[in-house]
């Protein structure tokens, strides 16, 4: 599988993407818990876990049809581009509006994420014939998961480095 030159770019993309997403997600969670959801932790947890899950359940059938209609490459490109805008919602959220901003952004962006994941599965399974498809998917999922785990570890190291650090910008404490 690793000898397949056409498969390596996907592995590189998947590893870098998973590392970046999990680094950002781990750091965002600390920010959410400490700053944004302090007054309504239960609603914050619902907004960040249950809302995306329910949205994905409701839209997954349609996103599969979108992948079939527009093709895997186009859906991967647009889906990951939209996925990359999720941190914009985190920047716009204030403690007073955090639960609602995160909820709306999750409802709006989860279909793109679902379509991207669906397109990724279809893309990976096209590299090999028949019985080799499972191995391609297993390698892709395993390396992506290792990269995601390393992203979480990297976020922890960043938090250790920034412990006690404080700065102000535009009257806001960072």
């Amino acid at each position: 599988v690793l000898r397949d030159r056409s498969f390596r770019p996907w592995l590189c993309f998947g590893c870098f993407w998973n590392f970046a997403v999990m680094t950002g997600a781990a750091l965002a969670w600390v920010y959410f818990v400490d700053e944004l959801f302090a007054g309504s932790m239960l609603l914050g947890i619902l907004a960040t876990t249950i809302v995306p899950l329910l949205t994905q359940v409701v839209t997954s059938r349609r996103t599969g049809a979108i992948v079939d209609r527009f093709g895997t490459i186009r859906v991967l490109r647009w889906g990951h581009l939209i996925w990359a805008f999720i941190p914009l919602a985190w920047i716009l959220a204030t403690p007073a509006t955090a639960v609602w901003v995160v909820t709306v952004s999750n409802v709006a962006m989860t279909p793109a994420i679902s379509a991207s994941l669906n397109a990724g599965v279809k893309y990976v399974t096209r590299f090999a014939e028949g019985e080799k498809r499972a191995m391609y998917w297993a390698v892709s999922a395993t390396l992506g998961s290792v990269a995601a785990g390393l992203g979480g570890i990297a976020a922890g190291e960043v938090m250790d480095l920034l412990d006690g650090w404080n700065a102000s910008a535009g009257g806001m404490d960072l």
Side-chain angles (χ1 to χ4, degrees):
V1 174
L2 296 177
R3 292 181 187 147
D4 186 346
R5 289 183 184 267
S6 63
F7 187 56
R8 285 187 215 156
W10 171 258
L11 288 177
C12 289
F13 170 76
C15 287
F16 283 114
W17 182 263
N18 283 318
F19 179 84
V21 166
M22 291 312 296
T23 301
L27 293 171
W29 260 104
V30 172
Y31 174 68
F32 288 164
V33 170
D34 286 350
E35 304 294 331
L36 295 182
F37 297 150
S40 56
M41 186 59 70
L42 178 60
L43 288 177
I45 290 170
L46 290 173
T48 56
T49 57
I50 303 301
V51 169
L53 179 64
L54 290 176
T55 304
Q56 190 165 6
V57 167
V58 169
T59 62
S60 61
R61 181 172 176 216
R62 289 178 186 91
T63 58
I66 288 169
V67 174
D68 292 338
R69 182 174 179 192
F70 294 107
T72 57
I73 299 296
R74 186 180 298 171
V75 171
L76 280 170
R77 286 183 183 149
W78 281 103
H80 281 85
L81 178 66
I82 292 168
W83 198 343
F85 280 106
I86 288 176
L88 181 62
W90 305 341
I91 292 169
L92 296 176
T94 65
T97 63
V99 171
W100 305 115
V101 169
V102 171
T103 299
V104 169
S105 71
N106 280 336
V107 168
M109 295 182 185
T110 297
I113 294 169
S114 179
S116 295
L117 294 172
N118 189 325
V121 170
K122 289 183 179 192
Y123 185 72
V124 169
T125 57
R126 291 183 181 167
F127 280 103
E129 298 295 324
E131 70 280 352
K132 293 182 181 178
R133 285 183 179 164
M135 183 57 69
Y136 276 73
W137 183 248
V139 169
S140 178
T142 300
L143 291 178
S145 296
V146 168
L150 291 173
I153 292 169
E157 293 298 319
V158 168
M159 291 302 297
D160 284 344
L161 287 171
L162 296 178
D163 189 31
W165 179 79
N166 195 6
S168 295
M172 294 175 48
D173 288 331
L174 302 176

